[in-house]
Amino acid sequence: MSAELPHIPLLVPGIESSATSVTVSAPWDLTPIATVARADSATVEKALANAYALYRNRDAWLPMRERVQILTRAMGIMRERREKMATDAAREGGKPLADSLIEVDRAIDSVHICIDELRSRAGEVIPMCITESSKNRVAFTRPEPVGVVVAVSAFNHPLNLIAHQVAPAVATGCPVIVKPADKTALSCLSFVQILREAGLPPEWCQAVVTADRKDATAMVTDERVGFFSFIGSAKVGWTLRSQLAPGTRCALEHGGAAPVIVTEGADLDRAVPSLAKGGFYHAGQVCVSVQRVFTPKAMAREFATRLADAAKKMKVGDPTLADTEIGPLITPGEVDRVHQWVEEAKAAGAEVLCGGEKLTDTAYKPTVLLNPPADAKVSVQEIFGPVVCVYGYDDMDEAIDRANSLPFSFQAAVFGQDIDKLMRVSSRLDASAVMVNDHTAFRVDWMPFAGLKQSGHGVGGVPHSMHEMQIQKMTVIHSPEIKD
């Protein structure tokens, strides 16, 4: 059967790989979709050599006007293929079609943001002629590419995560090598092919699906890498960071266990639908998914019951269908893990208000737990599944302390109507961003997006990634004709 599947060839010019291909399957029904050529160690070396040779040859750098033209054409191609790209992403990644359409739109906008940044980004003039030693001088900076970018990405947003890593590299003039998640490689490879179709020379953006983790590590830690962009598990990301070559910059984006504080007097008609979306969107497989909701004890049961009622109405099913709201988890093993965590919390005293069981081998019912123990896995680790925990509190500051008690810090949220309470919670939560009367998973692609503590390093978001992928080279001109 696999011989009849579409095959995506190696996207590294000038070499053939001896590694066996990998099959990408749909997480909903485990049906094979396509096979993808994988890179062996020689392929990885060739990709690095291609990219580094471009970076070292300044005469070969792509002028900004050409980069703008390429990205503009790429946007046009993506708009023409919007529905197909969304369906393909939904099928390989499991995110429902309605949300995958939004993801494609975001990816297109991410490319647009790169173009806007190029039109507006410039260096600065450094003051001179202020002291005797600085007289007769003028100084200014201009942005230059930092070097070869190696990007390693996660499965959960198979197109837009890639756009966030690759488009800024192309925009800033950095040769880029991207390694997508094996399970969702197709959207990445499609994006790379679109860039090439839009006129980007192949060596400027290469994609590798490695056959061996050692090869991936060797690529990331190579001394020719100028910038490493990683989206994925904390364990892998922090380990790779510790092995980077001296001088390699990096940005790491991991997960968390996003907290929400619901204050007394909050509008539950507004809060419940928002938190249901933020908790069960993409079956909870989002790094800032709503996970821990702290409410006043007197309203905890009412809130949790209303959240459970909302969850029960959400349709779980085939992600390629237009009316599906929650799709599968990425693998059956993840379904088993989530169920085990829920069962452990239940045995320790958590009350299961809805869900708590497998729908199929690949999908889990959206689950609301009331007052799981503080030391349960669902309370202290990232669930990355369709499970939301609700806890009652007596004192708001105590709830803030509980929200801040984990070694993760990413986005958080607070709901209420008392501006003083909202500001108190917002200013005291450990978070890089606090959403007021909105769920923790809100994001637009031009805003900064940063994990703190164990949740990440550096700042993401398209403009911020572009900044990280550039250096500001200063030029100082000395001339007696410069008087002031």
Side-chain angles (χ1 to χ4, degrees):
M1 180 178 178
S2 61
E4 302 172 357
L5 295 174
H7 179 72
I8 312 301
L10 198 66
L11 295 183
V12 176
I15 195 170
E16 297 291 332
S17 175
S18 62
T20 57
S21 298
V22 63
T23 300
V24 176
S25 299
W28 171 246
D29 56 12
L30 306 181
T31 301
I33 302 172
T35 59
V36 174
R38 291 196 293 185
D40 56 15
S41 56
T43 307
V44 168
E45 169 56 32
K46 179 61 175 174
L48 285 165
N50 287 343
Y52 192 66
L54 282 178
Y55 175 66
R56 294 310 309 166
N57 181 10
R58 289 177 179 253
D59 292 334
W61 285 9
L62 293 174
M64 188 183 299
R65 63 183 180 278
E66 290 187 21
R67 304 198 302 268
V68 169
Q69 291 165 1
I70 290 167
L71 293 171
T72 301
R73 288 192 291 265
M75 286 172 54
I77 296 169
M78 294 171 74
R79 289 193 182 103
E80 292 172 0
R81 300 175 189 171
R82 174 179 180 265
E83 285 74 21
K84 182 181 187 307
M85 294 180 75
T87 301
D88 290 347
R91 191 179 181 202
E92 73 165 338
K95 183 191 293 183
L97 180 60
D99 294 321
S100 290
L101 283 164
I102 293 172
E103 179 174 348
V104 174
D105 290 340
R106 286 182 58 189
I108 294 169
D109 193 51
S110 293
V111 178
H112 195 184
I113 294 167
C114 289
I115 297 170
D116 286 345
E117 282 294 306
L118 288 178
R119 294 185 185 280
S120 61
R121 180 160 294 185
E124 62 176 323
V125 175
I126 310 300
M128 290 287 158
C129 300
I130 297 171
T131 64
E132 187 67 22
S133 61
S134 66
K135 70 179 182 180
N136 303 131
R137 289 170 174 84
V138 63
F140 56 90
T141 64
R142 292 185 300 166
E144 283 191 358
V146 69
V148 174
V149 171
V150 168
V152 176
S153 203
F155 75 85
N156 53 333
H157 306 290
L159 178 63
N160 199 39
L161 291 184
I162 298 297
H164 268 242
Q165 295 172 295
V166 171
V170 173
T172 56
C174 294
V176 57
I177 305 168
V178 57
K179 178 193 173 301
D182 293 8
K183 294 177 176 61
T184 55
L186 302 180
S187 292
C188 169
L189 301 177
S190 174
F191 183 65
V192 173
Q193 289 171 323
I194 285 172
L195 287 172
R196 294 180 177 185
E197 188 177 340
L200 185 69
E203 291 83 0
W204 281 95
C205 183
Q206 304 169 96
V208 295
V209 177
T210 52
D212 192 305
R213 179 171 289 185
K214 291 181 180 178
D215 293 334
T217 300
M219 177 176 66
V220 168
T221 58
D222 192 277
E223 63 181 6
R224 290 167 288 187
V225 177
F227 187 84
F228 172 49
S229 172
F230 179 84
I231 303 173
S233 77
K235 181 179 179 181
V236 174
W238 290 112
T239 298
L240 289 172
R241 179 176 180 258
S242 72
Q243 300 175 35
L244 294 179
T248 301
R249 297 183 182 182
C250 74
L252 310 178
E253 184 181 308
H254 307 316
V260 179
I261 306 291
V262 178
T263 64
E264 187 176 355
D267 181 354
L268 297 191
D269 290 337
R270 181 176 182 179
V272 169
S274 177
L275 294 177
K277 178 65 177 180
F280 301 121
Y281 163 65
H282 197 9
Q285 298 170 116
V286 180
C287 61
V288 287
S289 178
V290 172
Q291 179 169 328
R292 301 175 296 143
V293 183
F294 300 90
T295 72
K297 190 170 290 184
M299 63 184 285
R301 180 168 294 278
E302 178 191 359
F303 173 85
T305 300
R306 291 178 64 168
L307 185 63
D309 290 342
K312 292 173 186 176
K313 296 175 184 176
M314 302 178 87
K315 181 179 179 181
V316 183
D318 183 342
T320 63
L321 300 180
D323 60 345
T324 295
E325 295 174 276
I326 301 173
L329 273 73
I330 192 63
T331 65
E334 285 298 287
V335 177
D336 293 339
R337 177 191 59 78
V338 169
H339 185 59
Q340 180 183 357
W341 286 19
V342 171
E343 286 292 296
E344 289 176 1
K346 180 181 176 181
E351 185 176 349
V352 181
L353 297 187
C354 72
E357 59 182 300
K358 300 179 186 179
L359 182 67
T360 67
D361 287 341
T362 62
Y364 200 76
K365 287 188 176 181
T367 300
V368 175
L369 302 179
L370 179 60
N371 289 321
D375 60 352
K377 287 189 179 75
V378 295
S379 297
V380 298
Q381 297 184 37
E382 182 181 27
I383 297 174
F384 224 60
V387 180
V388 176
C389 303
V390 179
Y391 311 84
Y393 68 80
D394 292 312
D395 178 76
M396 190 174 72
D397 287 346
E398 169 217 346
I400 295 170
D401 289 341
R402 290 168 66 185
N404 291 341
S405 64
L406 303 186
F408 315 112
S409 178
F410 214 139
Q411 296 195 164
V414 57
F415 280 80
Q417 301 186 70
D418 184 324
I419 187 63
D420 292 335
K421 288 181 180 179
L422 292 172
M423 292 309 299
R424 181 177 182 84
V425 173
S426 177
S427 64
R428 284 165 170 75
L429 280 174
D430 290 344
S432 60
V434 178
M435 308 303 157
V436 178
N437 290 324
D438 206 345
H439 61 70
T440 59
F442 172 78
R443 184 183 184 185
V444 292
D445 299 289
W446 57 87
M447 77 186 208
F449 193 68
L452 307 176
K453 297 182 181 177
Q454 294 182 18
S455 292
H457 174 78
V459 182
V462 174
H464 308 278
S465 294
M466 290 179 66
H467 175 78
E468 293 294 316
M469 292 177 184
Q470 291 179 315
I471 64 167
Q472 295 296 324
K473 177 179 281 187
M474 185 171 65
T475 300
V476 182
I477 300 173
H478 186 198
S479 168
E481 293 304 313
I482 300 172
K483 304 299 184 183
D484 201 354

